[in-house]
Amino acid sequence: MADHLLFATDHYMDNLHDQTAREFDYTRVLKSGDWTLWQHAFRNRLADLTGLTRMRELYRDVPLNPRTAEVESFPGYSREKLYISTEPGVEIPFYLLIPESGTKPYPLVLTPHGHGRRGKEVYVGNFADDGERRESLAGERDVALQAVAEGYAVIAMDVRGFWEMSREEEFGKSKVSSCDELQKRAFMYGRTLIGERVHDMGRLIDYASTRPEIDTSRIAITGNSGGGTVSFFAAALDERISVCVPSSYYCTFRGSLMHVPHCLCNFIPGVMELGEMYDISGLIAPRPVLFVNGVKDAIFPIEQTREAFAHTKMIYEAIERTRTDLCELYEGSGGHRYYKERVWPFIRHHFGH
């Protein structure tokens, strides 16, 4: 067999990196200090790039049309299953958990899930069998139950591409998700799954604002892995979110998405021409953010997460010099999973709850 060369990925990536100037590199604003202008321009450009701007324009007047499928009572809380329209002919299935005790209106926690076929069911403890229960509880993925136990109203939704929001073609074959097929179609029309998922979170917030028992002036969002992705971008692009806690996601794009294999749903064409992940974190500032990562997470390497966090700290210190409690990194001792230990004290502190 004749000698042949394989593609030189490292050189290719170096070329891309060296030849790309990030339009919203945060270091350019450190001297001028005009963070409000930078955030406004950056948020608008990122919303355009993800397709979110166009979705908001097209579907602003689409009625929510909420419908209730079931209502159940559990010790300490009630659970409603509902559907709302997010765009014509497309509904978001979700559970609304309301505590039985405490003072109304309750702060709200949105809990987008990650890459598991059964989506929201795991987060609300609707386990298929003992095996799923053991695995989920070992990774502390019953996030919605954790939140309602803290005394918060909770919306646990199916993220677009999963469970009731997956396509029949994939669901019927027991595939984990429809991410690849939906993302391919979204790309062809200038949209992205990240933009669509952020739009869905916004529609759920719209619905929450119609419920008198929910205080939408205090909204947290937290989820693991793909749920961390949704949490991060939703907080960056929707300023109604008060507190952001992405788990098993925060890193650098170069050190994570472009270093190890990831689902296609993570990608936004052209995003590196706007900014690195730590630049985007500046769109959350000065709202509180807690990044939760495992030190043994192979797909979001901790060294690159620490590198990104050092940049995020610089942004927060520049924007809000008098507060040191707004931006944290919590490192769990294991791998790619949720770590609840620091999550709820952080949210409780910033909700003043």
Side-chain angles (χ1 to χ4, degrees):
M1 180 178 178
D3 291 340
H4 67 282
L5 295 176
L6 297 177
F7 191 78
T9 304
D10 289 344
H11 292 300
Y12 173 69
M13 291 304 304
D14 288 342
N15 291 337
L16 288 173
H17 181 75
D18 295 344
Q19 295 162 8
T20 302
R22 305 191 317 275
E23 182 179 351
F24 294 98
D25 182 340
Y26 80 92
T27 61
R28 300 177 188 175
V29 198
L30 284 174
K31 288 186 178 180
S32 70
D34 198 348
W35 293 101
T36 301
L37 181 63
W38 177 83
Q39 286 180 321
H40 179 74
F42 191 1
R43 188 174 288 114
N44 286 344
R45 291 277 281 112
L46 184 60
D48 289 345
L49 197 65
T50 59
L52 180 62
T53 301
R54 183 65 174 147
M55 290 188 74
R56 285 172 170 170
E57 291 171 351
L58 287 172
Y59 307 138
R60 181 180 294 113
D61 297 326
V62 173
L64 291 170
N65 293 325
R67 60 185 181 90
T68 301
E70 63 184 37
V71 179
E72 295 188 75
S73 293
F74 296 86
Y77 68 97
S78 64
R79 191 182 77 191
E80 302 175 41
K81 184 178 182 183
L82 300 110
Y83 296 81
I84 60 167
S85 296
T86 184
E87 56 181 289
V90 179
E91 290 186 312
I92 310 169
F94 65 100
Y95 292 113
L96 173 62
L97 282 58
I98 301 289
E100 285 184 352
S101 59
T103 304
K104 298 179 183 179
Y106 304 107
L108 174 66
V109 180
L110 300 169
T111 62
H113 61 81
H115 281 69
R117 182 173 184 265
R118 289 185 6 94
K120 65 186 182 306
E121 308 302 326
V122 168
Y123 273 34
V124 301
N126 239 2
F127 303 117
D129 50 41
D130 287 341
E132 184 177 75
R133 179 189 298 274
R134 286 192 299 271
E135 180 183 2
S136 300
L137 294 181
E140 299 180 332
R141 290 196 173 93
D142 57 336
V143 181
L145 294 186
Q146 297 169 29
V148 77
E150 289 286 324
Y152 306 134
V154 187
I155 289 180
M157 73 300 292
D158 277 327
V159 172
R160 192 178 292 226
F162 295 91
W163 201 230
E164 291 184 76
M165 291 200 81
S166 62
R167 301 189 325 142
E168 177 59 36
E169 291 87 341
E170 286 74 50
F171 187 84
K173 296 177 182 177
S174 297
K175 292 188 176 181
V176 169
S177 76
S178 297
C179 291
D180 285 0
E181 294 303 324
L182 289 177
Q183 184 77 303
K184 291 172 188 176
R185 288 157 174 78
F187 281 168
M188 295 298 284
Y189 288 92
R191 285 165 50 161
T192 63
L193 267 177
I194 284 177
E196 292 176 347
R197 290 167 177 172
V198 171
H199 177 262
D200 293 343
M201 297 305 111
R203 294 287 285 185
L204 290 165
I205 293 173
D206 292 343
Y207 172 73
S209 69
T210 71
R211 298 286 299 237
E213 64 268 64
I214 297 177
D215 176 7
T216 50
S217 72
R218 291 182 292 174
I219 301 175
I221 189 167
T222 184
N224 191 66
S225 190
T229 310
V230 176
S231 299
F232 178 76
F233 280 96
L237 291 165
D238 195 326
E239 294 177 87
R240 295 175 294 178
I241 294 171
S242 315
V243 183
C244 178
V245 185
S247 173
S248 295
Y249 175 68
Y250 192 65
C251 199
T252 62
F253 289 133
R254 194 175 186 195
S256 56
L257 301 190
M258 291 178 280
H259 182 67
V260 294
H262 278 270
C263 179
L264 189 61
C265 71
N266 285 282
F267 295 89
I268 303 170
V271 71
M272 285 297 287
E273 294 184 313
L274 297 188
E276 246 291 359
M277 198 183 298
Y278 49 76
D279 295 310
I280 297 172
S281 74
L283 299 181
I284 303 172
R287 288 168 290 154
V289 63
L290 168 67
F291 302 111
V292 178
N293 285 70
V295 295
K296 299 177 183 178
D297 191 336
I299 61 175
F300 294 101
I302 195 63
E303 290 303 323
Q304 283 68 43
T305 294
R306 291 167 180 164
E307 173 193 341
F309 182 68
H311 290 286
T312 298
K313 282 288 286 182
M314 290 183 68
I315 296 172
Y316 269 75
E317 289 169 357
I319 292 176
E320 185 49 83
R321 298 179 185 277
T322 62
R323 294 280 299 272
T324 60
D325 62 335
L326 298 174
C327 174
E328 291 185 25
L329 171 63
Y330 177 84
E331 297 183 6
S333 60
H336 188 78
R337 46 157 289 187
Y338 198 73
Y339 297 92
K340 68 181 182 181
E341 181 180 20
R342 181 61 188 138
V343 173
W344 303 112
F346 184 86
I347 291 175
R348 192 183 311 129
H349 170 67
H350 290 289
F351 273 169
H353 190 244

